[in-house]
Coordinates of all heavy atoms in Angstrom, one line a residue:
M15 N -15.6 -34.4 54.8 CA -15.0 -33.0 55.3 C -15.1 -32.0 54.1 O -14.0 -32.0 53.4 CB -13.7 -33.2 55.9 CG -13.7 -34.0 57.2 SD -13.0 -33.1 58.5 CE -11.3 -33.5 58.1
P16 N -16.2 -31.5 53.9 CA -16.2 -30.5 52.7 C -15.3 -29.4 52.7 O -14.8 -29.0 51.6 CB -17.7 -29.9 52.6 CG -18.2 -30.3 54.2 CD -17.3 -31.4 54.7
D17 N -14.9 -29.0 53.9 CA -14.0 -27.7 54.1 C -12.5 -28.1 53.5 O -12.0 -27.4 52.7 CB -13.8 -27.4 55.5 CG -15.1 -26.6 56.0 OD1 -15.8 -26.2 54.9 OD2 -15.3 -26.3 57.1
L18 N -12.2 -29.3 53.9 CA -10.7 -29.7 53.6 C -10.8 -29.8 52.0 O -9.8 -29.5 51.3 CB -10.4 -31.0 54.1 CG -9.1 -31.5 53.8 CD1 -8.0 -30.6 54.4 CD2 -8.8 -32.9 54.5
K19 N -11.9 -30.5 51.4 CA -12.0 -30.6 50.0 C -11.8 -29.3 49.2 O -11.2 -29.2 48.3 CB -13.2 -31.4 49.7 CG -13.5 -31.6 48.2 CD -13.2 -33.0 47.8 CE -13.5 -33.2 46.2 NZ -13.0 -32.2 45.3
E20 N -12.6 -28.5 49.8 CA -12.5 -27.0 49.2 C -11.2 -26.4 49.2 O -10.7 -25.9 48.3 CB -13.4 -26.1 50.0 CG -14.1 -25.1 49.1 CD -15.4 -24.4 49.8 OE1 -16.5 -25.1 49.8 OE2 -15.2 -23.5 50.4
K21 N -10.5 -26.7 50.3 CA -9.2 -26.1 50.5 C -8.2 -26.6 49.4 O -7.4 -26.1 48.7 CB -8.6 -26.4 51.8 CG -7.3 -25.5 52.2 CD -7.2 -25.7 53.7 CE -5.8 -25.0 54.2 NZ -4.7 -26.0 54.3
E22 N -8.3 -28.1 49.3 CA -7.5 -28.7 48.3 C -7.8 -28.2 46.8 O -6.9 -27.9 46.1 CB -7.8 -30.2 48.3 CG -6.9 -30.9 49.2 CD -7.4 -32.4 49.2 OE1 -8.1 -32.9 48.5 OE2 -6.9 -33.2 50.2
D23 N -9.0 -27.9 46.6 CA -9.4 -27.4 45.3 C -8.7 -26.0 45.0 O -8.2 -25.8 43.9 CB -11.0 -27.2 45.1 CG -11.6 -28.5 44.8 OD1 -10.9 -29.5 44.6 OD2 -12.8 -28.6 44.9
I24 N -8.7 -25.2 46.1 CA -8.1 -24.0 46.0 C -6.6 -24.0 45.8 O -6.0 -23.4 44.9 CB -8.5 -23.0 47.2 CG1 -9.9 -22.7 47.2 CG2 -7.6 -21.8 47.3 CD1 -10.4 -22.1 48.6
E25 N -6.0 -25.1 46.4 CA -4.7 -25.2 46.2 C -4.3 -25.7 44.8 O -3.3 -25.2 44.2 CB -4.1 -26.2 47.3 CG -3.6 -25.5 48.5 CD -3.4 -26.4 49.6 OE1 -3.2 -27.7 49.3 OE2 -3.2 -26.1 50.8
I26 N -5.1 -26.6 44.2 CA -5.0 -27.1 43.0 C -5.1 -25.9 42.0 O -4.2 -25.8 41.1 CB -5.9 -28.2 42.7 CG1 -5.5 -29.5 43.4 CG2 -6.0 -28.5 41.2 CD1 -6.6 -30.4 43.4
D27 N -6.1 -25.2 42.3 CA -6.3 -23.9 41.3 C -5.1 -22.9 41.3 O -4.7 -22.5 40.2 CB -7.5 -23.2 41.8 CG -8.8 -23.7 41.3 OD1 -8.7 -24.7 40.6 OD2 -9.9 -23.3 41.7
A28 N -4.5 -22.7 42.5 CA -3.3 -21.9 42.6 C -2.2 -22.4 41.8 O -1.5 -21.8 41.2 CB -3.1 -21.7 44.1
K29 N -2.1 -23.8 42.0 CA -1.0 -24.5 41.3 C -1.2 -24.3 39.8 O -0.3 -24.1 39.0 CB -1.0 -26.0 41.7 CG 0.3 -26.4 42.2 CD 0.3 -27.8 42.5 CE 1.6 -28.3 43.4 NZ 1.4 -29.7 43.8
A30 N -2.4 -24.5 39.5 CA -2.7 -24.5 37.9 C -2.5 -23.1 37.3 O -2.0 -22.9 36.3 CB -4.1 -25.0 37.6
E31 N -2.7 -22.2 38.2 CA -2.7 -20.7 37.8 C -1.2 -20.5 37.6 O -0.8 -19.7 36.6 CB -3.2 -19.9 38.8 CG -3.8 -18.6 38.2 CD -4.8 -17.9 39.3 OE1 -5.9 -18.3 39.5 OE2 -4.2 -17.0 39.9
E32 N -0.4 -20.9 38.6 CA 1.1 -20.7 38.6 C 1.7 -21.4 37.4 O 2.5 -20.8 36.6 CB 1.8 -21.3 39.8 CG 3.0 -20.5 40.3 CD 3.3 -21.1 41.7 OE1 2.6 -20.6 42.6 OE2 4.2 -21.8 41.7
E33 N 1.0 -22.6 37.1 CA 1.7 -23.3 35.9 C 1.4 -22.6 34.6 O 2.3 -22.5 33.7 CB 1.0 -24.7 35.9 CG 1.4 -25.7 34.8 CD 2.7 -26.3 34.9 OE1 3.3 -26.3 36.1 OE2 3.3 -26.8 34.0
A34 N 0.2 -22.0 34.5 CA -0.2 -21.3 33.4 C 0.6 -20.1 33.2 O 1.0 -19.7 32.0 CB -1.7 -21.0 33.4
K35 N 0.8 -19.5 34.4 CA 1.6 -18.3 34.2 C 2.9 -18.5 33.7 O 3.8 -17.8 32.9 CB 1.8 -17.7 35.6 CG 1.8 -16.2 35.7 CD 1.6 -15.6 37.0 CE 2.6 -14.6 37.4 NZ 2.6 -14.3 38.9
R36 N 3.6 -19.7 34.2 CA 4.9 -20.1 33.8 C 5.0 -20.4 32.5 O 5.9 -20.0 31.6 CB 5.3 -21.3 34.7 CG 6.9 -21.6 34.8 CD 7.1 -22.6 35.8 NE 6.5 -23.8 35.5 CZ 6.9 -24.7 34.6 NH1 7.9 -24.5 33.9 NH2 6.3 -25.8 34.3
K37 N 3.8 -21.1 31.9 CA 3.8 -21.5 30.5 C 3.8 -20.2 29.6 O 4.4 -20.1 28.6 CB 2.6 -22.3 30.1 CG 3.0 -23.8 30.5 CD 2.0 -24.6 29.9 CE 2.1 -26.2 30.2 NZ 1.0 -27.0 30.3
A38 N 2.9 -19.2 30.0 CA 2.9 -18.0 29.3 C 4.2 -17.3 29.2 O 4.6 -16.7 28.1 CB 1.8 -17.1 29.9
E39 N 4.9 -17.3 30.3 CA 6.1 -16.6 30.4 C 7.2 -17.3 29.4 O 7.9 -16.7 28.6 CB 6.8 -16.6 31.7 CG 6.4 -15.3 32.5 CD 6.8 -15.5 34.0 OE1 7.7 -16.3 34.4 OE2 6.0 -14.8 34.8
E40 N 7.1 -18.8 29.4 CA 7.9 -19.4 28.5 C 7.6 -19.1 27.0 O 8.4 -19.0 26.2 CB 7.8 -20.9 28.7 CG 8.8 -21.5 29.7 CD 8.5 -23.0 30.0 OE1 7.8 -23.7 29.1 OE2 9.0 -23.4 31.0
Q41 N 6.3 -19.0 26.7 CA 5.9 -18.8 25.5 C 6.4 -17.3 25.0 O 6.7 -17.1 23.8 CB 4.5 -18.9 25.3 CG 3.9 -19.1 23.9 CD 2.4 -19.2 23.9 OE1 1.7 -19.4 24.8 NE2 1.8 -19.0 22.6
A42 N 6.2 -16.4 25.9 CA 6.6 -15.1 25.5 C 8.2 -15.0 25.2 O 8.6 -14.4 24.4 CB 6.4 -14.2 26.7
K43 N 8.9 -15.8 25.9 CA 10.3 -15.9 25.8 C 10.6 -16.5 24.6 O 11.5 -16.0 23.8 CB 10.9 -16.8 26.9 CG 12.0 -16.0 27.7 CD 12.4 -17.1 28.7 CE 13.1 -16.4 30.0 NZ 13.4 -17.4 31.0
A44 N 10.0 -17.5 24.2 CA 10.1 -18.3 22.9 C 9.7 -17.3 21.7 O 10.4 -17.3 20.7 CB 9.3 -19.5 22.8
E45 N 8.8 -16.7 21.8 CA 8.3 -15.7 20.9 C 9.4 -14.6 20.6 O 9.7 -14.2 19.4 CB 7.0 -15.0 21.2 CG 5.8 -15.8 20.6 CD 4.4 -15.3 21.2 OE1 4.4 -14.1 21.6 OE2 3.6 -16.1 21.2
E46 N 9.9 -14.1 21.6 CA 11.0 -13.1 21.6 C 12.2 -13.6 20.9 O 12.9 -13.1 20.0 CB 11.4 -12.6 22.9 CG 11.9 -11.3 23.0 CD 12.0 -10.7 24.4 OE1 11.0 -10.5 25.1 OE2 13.1 -10.5 24.9
E47 N 12.5 -15.0 21.3 CA 13.6 -15.6 20.5 C 13.4 -15.7 19.1 O 14.3 -15.5 18.3 CB 13.8 -16.9 21.3 CG 15.0 -17.7 20.8 CD 16.3 -17.3 21.5 OE1 16.2 -16.6 22.4 OE2 17.3 -17.9 21.2
A48 N 12.2 -16.1 18.7 CA 11.9 -16.3 17.3 C 12.0 -15.0 16.5 O 12.4 -15.0 15.4 CB 10.5 -16.9 17.1
K49 N 11.6 -14.0 17.2 CA 11.7 -12.5 16.6 C 13.1 -12.2 16.3 O 13.5 -11.7 15.3 CB 11.0 -11.5 17.6 CG 10.2 -10.5 16.9 CD 9.4 -9.7 17.8 CE 9.7 -8.2 17.7 NZ 9.0 -7.4 18.9
R50 N 14.0 -12.4 17.3 CA 15.3 -12.2 17.2 C 15.9 -12.9 16.2 O 16.7 -12.4 15.3 CB 16.0 -12.5 18.5 CG 16.6 -11.3 19.2 CD 17.7 -11.6 20.2 NE 17.5 -12.7 21.1 CZ 17.0 -12.6 22.3 NH1 16.6 -11.5 22.8 NH2 16.8 -13.7 23.0
E51 N 15.5 -14.2 16.0 CA 16.1 -15.1 14.9 C 15.7 -14.6 13.6 O 16.4 -14.5 12.6 CB 15.7 -16.5 15.1 CG 16.7 -17.4 15.8 CD 16.3 -18.6 16.2 OE1 15.6 -19.4 15.4 OE2 16.5 -19.3 17.3
A52 N 14.3 -14.2 13.5 CA 13.9 -13.6 12.2 C 14.6 -12.4 11.7 O 14.9 -12.2 10.7 CB 12.4 -13.4 12.4
E53 N 14.9 -11.6 12.8 CA 15.6 -10.3 12.4 C 17.0 -10.6 12.0 O 17.5 -10.0 11.1 CB 15.6 -9.4 13.8 CG 14.5 -8.4 13.8 CD 14.5 -7.8 15.2 OE1 15.4 -7.6 15.9 OE2 13.3 -7.3 15.5
A54 N 17.6 -11.6 12.7 CA 19.0 -11.9 12.2 C 18.9 -12.4 10.9 O 19.9 -12.2 10.0 CB 19.6 -13.0 13.3
V55 N 18.0 -13.2 10.4 CA 17.8 -13.9 9.2 C 17.6 -12.7 8.1 O 18.3 -12.7 7.2 CB 16.7 -14.9 9.0 CG1 16.3 -15.2 7.6 CG2 17.1 -16.2 9.8
S56 N 16.7 -11.8 8.4 CA 16.5 -10.8 7.5 C 17.6 -10.0 7.3 O 18.0 -9.4 6.2 CB 15.3 -9.9 7.9 OG 15.6 -9.0 8.6
K57 N 18.5 -9.8 8.3 CA 19.6 -9.1 8.2 C 20.7 -9.7 7.3 O 21.3 -9.0 6.5 CB 20.3 -8.7 9.6 CG 20.5 -7.2 9.9 CD 21.1 -7.2 11.4 CE 20.5 -5.9 12.0 NZ 20.9 -5.8 13.4
S58 N 20.8 -11.0 7.6 CA 21.9 -11.7 6.7 C 21.3 -11.8 5.2 O 22.1 -11.9 4.3 CB 22.1 -13.1 7.3 OG 21.0 -13.9 7.2
N59 N 19.9 -11.8 5.1 CA 19.5 -11.9 3.7 C 19.7 -10.6 2.9 O 20.0 -10.7 1.7 CB 17.9 -12.2 3.8 CG 17.7 -13.7 3.9 OD1 18.6 -14.5 3.9 ND2 16.5 -14.0 4.2
S60 N 19.7 -9.5 3.7 CA 19.9 -8.3 2.9 C 21.3 -7.9 2.6 O 21.6 -7.0 2.0 CB 19.3 -7.1 3.8 OG 20.1 -7.0 5.0
G61 N 22.3 -8.8 3.1 CA 23.6 -8.6 2.7 C 24.3 -7.4 3.2 O 25.0 -6.7 2.6
G62 N 23.8 -6.9 4.3 CA 24.2 -5.5 5.0 C 23.6 -4.3 4.3 O 24.1 -3.2 4.5
I63 N 22.7 -4.6 3.3 CA 21.9 -3.5 2.8 C 20.8 -3.0 3.6 O 20.0 -3.8 4.0 CB 21.5 -3.7 1.3 CG1 22.6 -4.2 0.4 CG2 20.8 -2.6 0.7 CD1 22.3 -4.7 -0.9
D64 N 20.9 -1.7 4.0 CA 19.9 -1.3 4.8 C 18.6 -0.7 3.8 O 18.7 0.2 3.1 CB 20.3 0.1 5.7 CG 19.1 0.6 6.5 OD1 18.2 -0.1 6.8 OD2 19.2 1.8 7.0
T65 N 17.5 -1.5 4.0 CA 16.4 -1.2 3.0 C 15.3 -0.5 3.8 O 14.1 -0.4 3.2 CB 15.8 -2.6 2.5 OG1 15.4 -3.5 3.6 CG2 17.0 -3.2 1.6
S66 N 15.5 -0.2 5.1 CA 14.5 0.4 5.9 C 14.3 1.8 5.7 O 13.3 2.4 6.3 CB 14.7 0.0 7.3 OG 15.9 0.5 7.8
G67 N 15.1 2.5 5.0 CA 15.0 4.0 5.0 C 13.9 4.5 4.1 O 13.1 3.7 3.7
A68 N 14.1 5.8 3.6 CA 13.1 6.3 2.7 C 12.9 5.6 1.4 O 13.9 4.9 1.0 CB 13.4 7.8 2.8
D69 N 11.9 6.0 0.8 CA 11.7 5.3 -0.6 C 12.9 5.6 -1.5 O 13.3 6.7 -1.6 CB 10.5 5.8 -1.3 CG 10.2 5.1 -2.6 OD1 10.1 4.0 -2.6 OD2 10.1 6.0 -3.6
R70 N 13.3 4.6 -2.2 CA 14.4 4.7 -3.2 C 13.9 4.5 -4.5 O 13.0 3.8 -4.8 CB 15.5 3.7 -3.0 CG 16.0 3.6 -1.5 CD 17.1 4.8 -1.2 NE 18.2 4.8 -2.0 CZ 19.4 4.2 -1.5 NH1 19.3 3.7 -0.3 NH2 20.4 4.1 -2.2
D71 N 14.5 5.3 -5.5 CA 14.2 5.2 -6.9 C 15.3 4.8 -7.8 O 16.4 4.8 -7.2 CB 13.5 6.5 -7.4 CG 12.2 6.8 -6.6 OD1 11.3 5.9 -6.5 OD2 12.1 8.0 -6.2
C72 N 15.1 4.5 -9.0 CA 16.2 4.1 -9.9 C 17.2 5.1 -10.0 O 18.4 4.8 -10.1 CB 15.5 3.7 -11.3 SG 14.6 2.1 -11.2
G73 N 16.8 6.4 -9.9 CA 17.7 7.4 -9.9 C 18.8 7.4 -8.8 O 19.9 8.1 -8.8
D74 N 18.5 6.7 -7.7 CA 19.4 6.6 -6.5 C 20.5 5.5 -6.8 O 21.3 5.6 -5.9 CB 18.5 6.3 -5.4 CG 17.6 7.3 -4.9 OD1 17.9 8.5 -5.1 OD2 16.5 6.9 -4.5
F75 N 20.4 4.8 -7.8 CA 21.4 3.8 -8.1 C 22.1 4.1 -9.4 O 21.7 4.7 -10.3 CB 20.8 2.5 -8.1 CG 20.0 2.1 -7.0 CD1 18.7 2.3 -7.0 CD2 20.5 1.6 -5.8 CE1 17.9 2.0 -5.8 CE2 19.8 1.3 -4.8 CZ 18.4 1.4 -4.8
S76 N 23.5 3.8 -9.4 CA 24.2 4.0 -10.7 C 24.2 2.9 -11.6 O 24.5 3.1 -12.8 CB 25.6 4.4 -10.2 OG 26.2 3.6 -9.3
T77 N 24.0 1.7 -11.1 CA 23.8 0.5 -12.0 C 22.7 -0.3 -11.7 O 22.0 -0.3 -10.7 CB 25.1 -0.4 -11.8 OG1 25.0 -0.9 -10.4 CG2 26.4 0.3 -12.0
Q78 N 22.3 -1.1 -12.8 CA 21.1 -2.0 -12.6 C 21.4 -3.0 -11.6 O 20.4 -3.4 -10.7 CB 20.8 -2.7 -13.9 CG 19.4 -3.3 -14.0 CD 19.5 -4.7 -13.6 OE1 20.5 -5.4 -13.7 NE2 18.5 -5.3 -12.9
A79 N 22.5 -3.5 -11.5 CA 23.0 -4.6 -10.4 C 22.8 -4.0 -9.1 O 22.3 -4.8 -8.1 CB 24.4 -5.1 -10.6
E80 N 23.1 -2.8 -8.9 CA 23.0 -2.1 -7.6 C 21.6 -2.1 -7.2 O 21.1 -2.4 -6.1 CB 23.6 -0.8 -7.7 CG 24.1 -0.2 -6.3 CD 24.7 1.2 -6.4 OE1 25.7 1.2 -7.3 OE2 24.3 2.0 -5.8
A81 N 20.7 -1.7 -8.1 CA 19.2 -1.5 -7.8 C 18.7 -2.9 -7.7 O 17.8 -3.1 -6.8 CB 18.6 -0.8 -9.1
Q82 N 19.2 -3.9 -8.4 CA 18.6 -5.2 -8.4 C 19.0 -5.7 -6.9 O 18.1 -6.4 -6.3 CB 19.3 -6.1 -9.3 CG 18.9 -7.5 -9.5 CD 17.5 -7.6 -10.1 OE1 17.2 -6.8 -11.0 NE2 16.7 -8.6 -9.7
A83 N 20.2 -5.6 -6.4 CA 20.6 -6.2 -5.2 C 19.8 -5.4 -4.0 O 19.3 -6.2 -3.0 CB 22.0 -5.8 -4.9
F84 N 19.4 -4.2 -4.2 CA 18.5 -3.4 -3.2 C 17.2 -4.0 -3.3 O 16.6 -4.2 -2.2 CB 18.7 -2.0 -3.4 CG 18.0 -1.2 -2.4 CD1 18.7 -0.8 -1.3 CD2 16.7 -0.8 -2.7 CE1 18.1 0.0 -0.4 CE2 16.2 0.0 -1.6 CZ 16.8 0.4 -0.5
M85 N 16.6 -4.3 -4.5 CA 15.3 -4.7 -4.5 C 15.1 -6.1 -3.9 O 14.2 -6.3 -3.1 CB 14.8 -4.7 -6.0 CG 13.4 -4.9 -6.2 SD 12.8 -5.2 -7.8 CE 13.4 -6.8 -8.2
E86 N 16.2 -6.9 -4.1 CA 16.1 -8.2 -3.7 C 16.3 -8.2 -2.2 O 15.6 -9.0 -1.5 CB 17.2 -9.2 -4.3 CG 16.7 -9.6 -5.7 CD 17.9 -10.2 -6.4 OE1 19.0 -10.7 -5.9 OE2 17.7 -10.6 -7.7
A87 N 17.1 -7.3 -1.7 CA 17.3 -7.3 -0.2 C 16.0 -6.7 0.5 O 15.8 -7.0 1.6 CB 18.5 -6.3 0.1
S88 N 15.3 -5.9 -0.2 CA 14.2 -5.2 0.4 C 12.8 -6.2 0.4 O 11.8 -5.8 1.0 CB 13.8 -4.0 -0.2 OG 13.5 -4.0 -1.5
G89 N 13.0 -7.4 -0.1 CA 11.9 -8.4 0.0 C 11.1 -8.5 -1.3 O 11.2 -7.7 -2.2
P90 N 10.2 -9.6 -1.3 CA 9.5 -10.0 -2.5 C 8.5 -9.0 -2.8 O 7.9 -8.9 -4.0 CB 8.9 -11.3 -2.2 CG 8.9 -11.3 -0.7 CD 10.0 -10.5 -0.2
S91 N 8.0 -8.1 -1.9 CA 6.9 -7.1 -2.2 C 7.3 -5.9 -3.0 O 6.5 -5.1 -3.3 CB 6.1 -6.8 -0.9 OG 7.0 -6.2 0.0
D92 N 8.7 -5.8 -3.1 CA 9.2 -4.6 -3.8 C 8.7 -3.3 -3.2 O 8.0 -2.5 -4.0 CB 9.0 -4.7 -5.3 CG 9.7 -3.6 -6.1 OD1 10.7 -2.9 -5.5 OD2 9.3 -3.4 -7.3
P93 N 8.8 -2.9 -1.9 CA 8.3 -1.7 -1.4 C 8.8 -0.5 -2.0 O 8.1 0.6 -1.9 CB 8.6 -1.9 0.2 CG 9.9 -2.8 0.2 CD 9.6 -3.7 -1.0
H94 N 10.0 -0.5 -2.5 CA 10.5 0.7 -3.2 C 10.1 0.8 -4.6 O 10.4 1.8 -5.4 CB 12.1 0.8 -3.0 CG 12.5 0.9 -1.6 ND1 12.7 2.0 -1.0 CD2 12.7 -0.1 -0.6 CE1 13.0 1.7 0.3 NE2 13.0 0.5 0.5
R95 N 9.4 -0.1 -5.2 CA 8.9 -0.2 -6.5 C 10.0 0.2 -7.5 O 9.9 1.0 -8.4 CB 7.9 1.0 -6.6 CG 6.6 1.0 -5.7 CD 5.5 0.2 -6.3 NE 5.4 0.4 -7.7 CZ 4.5 0.2 -8.4 NH1 3.2 -0.4 -7.8 NH2 4.3 0.3 -9.7
L96 N 11.0 -0.6 -7.3 CA 12.1 -0.5 -8.3 C 12.0 -1.5 -9.5 O 12.6 -1.4 -10.5 CB 13.4 -0.9 -7.5 CG 13.9 -0.1 -6.4 CD1 15.0 -0.6 -5.7 CD2 14.2 1.4 -7.0
D97 N 11.0 -2.4 -9.4 CA 10.7 -3.3 -10.5 C 10.0 -2.5 -11.7 O 10.0 -2.9 -12.8 CB 9.8 -4.4 -10.1 CG 9.7 -5.6 -11.2 OD1 10.5 -5.4 -12.1 OD2 9.2 -6.6 -10.8
G98 N 9.3 -1.4 -11.4 CA 8.7 -0.7 -12.5 C 7.3 -1.3 -12.6 O 6.9 -2.0 -11.6
N99 N 6.6 -1.1 -13.7 CA 5.2 -1.6 -13.9 C 5.3 -3.0 -14.5 O 4.2 -3.6 -14.7 CB 4.5 -0.7 -14.7 CG 4.3 0.6 -13.9 OD1 4.1 0.5 -12.7 ND2 4.3 1.9 -14.6
D100 N 6.4 -3.5 -14.9 CA 6.3 -4.8 -15.7 C 6.5 -5.9 -14.7 O 6.1 -7.1 -15.2 CB 7.4 -4.9 -16.8 CG 8.8 -4.7 -16.1 OD1 8.9 -4.5 -14.9 OD2 9.8 -4.6 -16.9
N101 N 6.8 -5.8 -13.5 CA 6.8 -6.9 -12.6 C 7.5 -8.2 -13.0 O 7.0 -9.2 -12.9 CB 5.3 -7.3 -12.0 CG 4.8 -6.2 -11.2 OD1 5.4 -5.7 -10.3 ND2 3.5 -6.0 -11.4
D102 N 8.7 -7.9 -13.7 CA 9.4 -9.2 -14.2 C 10.5 -9.6 -13.3 O 11.3 -10.5 -13.6 CB 9.9 -8.9 -15.6 CG 10.9 -7.7 -15.7 OD1 11.0 -6.9 -14.6 OD2 11.4 -7.3 -16.7
G103 N 10.6 -8.9 -12.1 CA 11.7 -9.2 -11.1 C 13.0 -8.5 -11.5 O 14.0 -8.7 -10.8
L104 N 13.1 -7.8 -12.4 CA 14.2 -7.1 -12.8 C 14.0 -5.6 -12.5 O 13.2 -5.0 -12.9 CB 14.6 -7.2 -14.3 CG 15.2 -8.4 -14.9 CD1 15.2 -8.5 -16.4 CD2 16.5 -8.7 -14.3
A105 N 15.1 -5.1 -11.5 CA 14.9 -3.8 -11.2 C 15.6 -2.8 -12.1 O 16.6 -3.0 -12.8 CB 15.6 -3.6 -9.9
C106 N 14.9 -1.6 -12.4 CA 15.7 -0.6 -13.1 C 16.3 -1.0 -14.4 O 17.5 -0.8 -14.5 CB 16.5 0.2 -12.2 SG 15.8 0.7 -10.7
E107 N 15.5 -1.5 -15.2 CA 16.1 -2.0 -16.5 C 16.7 -0.9 -17.3 O 17.5 -1.2 -18.3 CB 15.0 -2.7 -17.5 CG 14.6 -4.1 -16.9 CD 13.3 -3.9 -16.1 OE1 13.1 -2.9 -15.4 OE2 12.5 -4.8 -16.3
S108 N 16.3 0.3 -17.0 CA 17.0 1.5 -17.8 C 18.4 1.8 -17.3 O 19.0 2.5 -18.0 CB 16.0 2.6 -17.5 OG 15.9 3.1 -16.2
L109 N 18.6 1.3 -16.3 CA 20.1 1.6 -15.8 C 21.2 0.7 -16.4 O 20.8 -0.4 -16.8 CB 20.2 1.3 -14.2 CG 19.5 2.4 -13.4 CD1 19.6 2.0 -11.9 CD2 20.1 3.8 -13.5
P110 N 22.4 1.2 -16.5 CA 23.5 0.4 -17.3 C 23.8 -0.8 -16.4 O 23.7 -0.9 -15.2 CB 24.6 1.3 -17.3 CG 24.3 2.4 -16.2 CD 23.0 2.5 -16.0
Ligands
CA19 CA1 10.5 4.2 -5.3
CA20 CA1 11.1 -4.6 -14.0

């Protein structure tokens, strides 16, 4: 009975499709969860310092420690260029 066989195949396909959809939804959920976790980690790493604003320079800080904390909170790539050109990991050596 080729007709019945075909029908079964279609049902199996529909099931597999549903399963794939469910898996994709689960994955999207897991990805969102991971994103949320990463955001929470980056927030706790920054120690409450908001490093997402406009570019900061050494003149925006009153002490070297303050600039250092900000540079460390903004990540290893030093997007605010507070390390200067020596790239020794010390921010704004000119500050007290
Ligand atoms: Ca800067
Ligand atoms: Ca430096």
Side-chain angles (χ1 to χ4, degrees):
M15 294 235 281
D17 282 347
L18 183 62
K19 175 100 177 50
E20 215 164 273
K21 194 169 171 257
E22 266 175 13
D23 279 351
I24 288 167
E25 272 172 13
I26 287 166
D27 278 355
K29 235 183 190 174
E31 214 169 279
E32 212 170 282
E33 178 80 12
K35 215 169 127 188
R36 205 173 53 81
K37 271 193 185 151
E39 270 169 22
E40 259 172 31
Q41 202 180 340
K43 241 186 208 169
E45 265 168 30
E46 208 169 292
E47 183 84 3
K49 214 170 130 189
R50 250 205 309 270
E51 261 170 43
E53 267 170 23
V55 165
S56 88
K57 236 182 214 167
S58 71
N59 277 353
S60 67
I63 300 172
D64 180 16
T65 60
S66 60
D69 180 58
R70 306 285 293 268
D71 296 313
C72 290
D74 296 321
F75 306 95
S76 44
T77 64
Q78 192 273 329
E80 208 179 302
Q82 185 74 34
F84 187 88
M85 186 182 83
E86 281 171 13
S88 56
S91 61
D92 187 19
H94 295 272
R95 303 268 327 197
L96 296 172
D97 193 359
N99 294 323
D100 54 1
N101 288 319
D102 60 357
L104 284 171
C106 305
E107 289 96 322
S108 57
L109 288 174

